[in-house]
Amino acid sequence: MSLKRKIALTISIAFSLLFGMVMAVIYLSFNDFRRDEFKERFRQRLEFTTHFISKSKDFEEEAPIFFNENSDNILLNEKILIFNEQKELIYSTIKDRNVTWDSAMLKELDKKKIIYTEKTVPEIYAALRNINGENYYILTSAFDTNGKSKLGFLKYLLIAAYAMSTLLIGFFSYYFVEKFLRPLEDLNKEISEVTAHKLTTQIPVQESNDEVNVLAKSFNTMIVRLNDVFQSQKDFTASASHEIRTPITRMAFQLENLIKFEEHSPKTLSSLQQIQRDVYQLSDLTNSLLLLTKFDKENIQSIYEDVRIDEVIFEAFEAVEKSYPELKLDFLITEETFENAFLTISGIQSLLVIVFINLFKNAAVYSDDTEVKVLITETNNNLSVDVISHGATISEEEQTKLFEAFTRGNNAQNIAGSGLGLRIVKRILEYHDAEIIYSSPAEYMNKFTLIFKKYFI
């Protein structure tokens, strides 16, 4: 999930929870108000009844007429029960059925004097009143239909408002967060376009002093410093490699001429040949260092071309065969390769030749039978090349560092080398969006699998 979505979601959840709490407070407050209002109407009704009893000369006779005349003030479905001091029912507004009541409530009135409960249906308001020296138990019950209806309407209104507000908050949160983070996205886009060959590119900076512009200014300062360091390193590597190659080439040429003289003793000839091998190794090391700093993905993909992998393999083997004439090549296209295979990939042939030269050199140096087997498999999606040789294998611990610069395994301790060959191989394959995998499928068997992706336009 992107940062702006996380921020928008967090804001939406926070505001939704806050709004939900406000809605709940409104609902509960209105319910308390409804209850208090209905309770007050109950109390007024009870006081009205108490006043009537205190003024009435013949309560039982006057009661029906009195409640009839004041029916406008009666609560919805109001029921009134009046008991004397002996808790005997002396009046009831219920005429069409047997009257029942809760005796426990009458006893409870002796202690509490007033009881109100909204948990029952209908709600009940009861009170103990002393009128003209006598105790009367007055029980009133009624439905607060009007209040409950308003409360129900308010509930659905709040739910609808909550749902609508949640959607609006989510929409506006995402809109404003996207608007506020747009400068950061533009900065990210500018930064992503900066490469090793575009370190001079400066990120546009606005006149405002907000955090994004401060970050852009700091990044531009860092880019300038990195460019100075990178350019110095690149210039030094290129100059040093170029300057070193010239005397090395002269030394190699002079050694070749010197070795051709026949009057050398066997010991002298052996020393000269060893020096010649060291010079060649130094030349390879210099070329490897120069090659590592020469290319990157951005500046070589523009010169890609269609390359036949079999031609690359034969060209590389021909170059290695000059130095290792005893090395043999067993070339095979596997049965898994489909019939219309072209054995073609997109890349730079000269660099791919270097890949196989390094792999074949390793096979020549570390192989016990001086033979390298190459198996090609092409499918609809990939083209893979297996380079197999027999010899001492690499331990699992060493395999993790196999493609790092200047790394050499235990099987190469007594063999001359720079430790850059496989690093160069991996770097070139990365330029071609390919990968290399080392495995040892059997004892004394080394297998390098190169996998090239096929792209369809």
Side-chain angles (χ1 to χ4, degrees), residues 124 151 176 239 295 335-336 407 440:
I124 297 174
L151 186 66
F176 285 113
S239 300
F295 296 109
E335 296 179 355
E336 288 82 4
T407 298
S440 180

Side-chain angles (χ1 to χ4, degrees), residues 237 241 284-293 406 420 424:
T237 304
S241 299
D284 288 341
L285 175 60
T286 304
N287 291 332
S288 299
L289 288 171
L290 185 61
L291 186 64
L292 281 175
T293 59
F406 304 106
L420 283 173
I424 293 173

Side-chain angles (χ1 to χ4, degrees), residues 105-262:
M105 181 176 290
L106 298 179
K107 294 178 181 179
E108 191 175 355
L109 280 174
D110 291 331
K111 299 178 182 179
K112 297 184 177 180
K113 307 303 180 185
I114 294 176
I115 297 174
Y116 173 71
T117 173
E118 60 175 337
K119 296 180 180 179
T120 58
V121 180
E123 298 178 29
I124 297 174
Y125 189 92
L128 174 61
R129 289 284 188 269
N130 187 281
I131 305 172
N132 299 329
E134 295 185 14
N135 289 332
Y136 289 89
Y137 299 86
I138 304 174
L139 277 64
T140 306
S141 66
F143 292 101
D144 188 15
T145 305
N146 188 41
K148 289 290 182 67
S149 176
K150 291 179 180 179
L151 186 66
F153 176 75
L154 178 63
K155 179 178 71 174
Y156 292 115
L157 183 64
L158 291 177
I159 291 174
Y162 178 77
M164 184 66 68
S165 64
T166 300
L167 293 175
L168 291 176
I169 289 171
F171 173 78
F172 284 109
S173 296
Y174 186 82
Y175 173 77
F176 285 113
V177 168
E178 184 182 26
K179 185 177 181 180
F180 291 147
L181 292 182
R182 191 168 299 161
L184 194 59
E185 291 183 353
D186 295 338
L187 177 63
N188 178 56
K189 184 178 179 181
E190 295 288 343
I191 292 175
S192 64
E193 294 178 357
V194 176
T195 65
H197 288 267
K198 293 176 64 179
L199 286 178
T200 55
T201 303
Q202 293 287 301
I203 295 175
V205 178
Q206 305 297 328
E207 293 182 0
S208 62
N209 291 321
D210 58 22
E211 287 78 1
V212 175
N213 283 295
V214 171
L215 179 61
K217 292 176 182 177
S218 300
F219 185 82
N220 286 338
T221 303
M222 182 190 68
I223 284 293
V224 172
R225 294 173 181 172
L226 285 177
N227 182 59
D228 293 340
V229 174
F230 180 78
Q231 197 62 41
S232 298
Q233 181 185 14
K234 188 176 180 181
D235 292 343
F236 172 78
T237 304
S239 300
S241 299
H242 178 74
E243 294 298 328
I244 292 173
R245 285 168 65 184
T246 301
I248 288 177
T249 303
R250 288 201 299 264
M251 289 169 60
F253 179 73
Q254 292 172 3
L255 282 170
E256 287 180 6
N257 291 334
L258 189 59
I259 290 173
K260 290 179 181 179
F261 293 138
E262 298 179 355

Side-chain angles (χ1 to χ4, degrees), residues 13 67 111 127 175 247 265 284 302 343-344 385 446:
I13 292 174
F67 285 110
K111 299 178 182 179
Y175 173 77
S265 64
D284 288 341
S302 60
L343 306 182
T344 301
V385 181
N446 293 292

Side-chain angles (χ1 to χ4, degrees), residues 307-317 329-334 336-337 341-346 352-353 355-360 363 372-379 381-389 403 422 425 429 432-439 441 446-454:
V307 178
R308 283 189 59 94
I309 198 67
D310 52 344
E311 294 178 359
V312 170
I313 292 171
F314 292 131
E315 183 179 345
F317 182 77
L329 174 65
D330 184 6
F331 180 83
L332 179 65
I333 299 176
T334 63
E336 288 82 4
T337 301
F342 293 103
L343 306 182
T344 301
I345 60 174
S346 182
L352 293 172
V353 168
V355 169
F356 287 97
I357 285 177
N358 280 284
L359 294 177
F360 291 159
V372 59
K373 181 182 291 186
V374 176
L375 304 177
I376 297 180
T377 304
E378 183 175 357
T379 63
N381 300 319
N382 299 314
L383 187 150
S384 63
V385 181
D386 294 330
V387 180
I388 303 171
S389 61
F403 299 100
L422 290 179
V425 167
L429 291 177
H432 291 79
D433 199 18
E435 60 179 323
I436 181 170
I437 302 171
Y438 171 83
S439 61
N446 293 292
K447 178 180 176 182
F448 288 93
T449 302
L450 286 68
I451 303 175
F452 297 90
K453 296 179 182 178
K454 297 176 64 176

